[in-house]
């Protein structure tokens, strides 16, 4: 959004701003995936496979 707005009012391509936004996106995605992995593993346990009948509580 910010890169598009900056590009609309400029004659140059804001590559540095685009790189910062892509870095933030990649970092936020990585953090979300790590939190998801931690939460799933802490519930299921390491290496545990469950059948659908076993997972219903």
């Amino acid at each position: 959004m910010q890169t598009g707005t900056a590009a609309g009012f400029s004659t140059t391509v804001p590559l540095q701003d685009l790189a910062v936004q892509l870095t933030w996106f990649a970092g936020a995605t990585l953090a979300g995936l790590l939190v998801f992995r931690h939460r799933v593993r802490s519930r299921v346990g390491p290496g545990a496979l469950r059948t659908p009948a076993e997972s219903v509580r």
Side-chain angles (χ1 to χ4, degrees), residues 20-35:
V20 169
Q21 289 183 12
L22 289 175
T23 303
W24 269 102
F25 179 76
T29 301
L30 179 62
L33 288 173
L34 288 174
V35 169

Side-chain angles (χ1 to χ4, degrees), residues 3-4 7 9-10 13-15 20 22 25 29-32 35-37 40-43 46-49 52-53 56:
T3 302
F9 295 102
S10 176
V13 179
L15 293 178
V20 169
L22 289 175
F25 179 76
T29 301
L30 179 62
V35 169
F36 176 76
R37 181 175 181 249
V40 169
R41 286 197 175 258
S42 65
R43 297 242 181 182
L49 294 175
V56 175

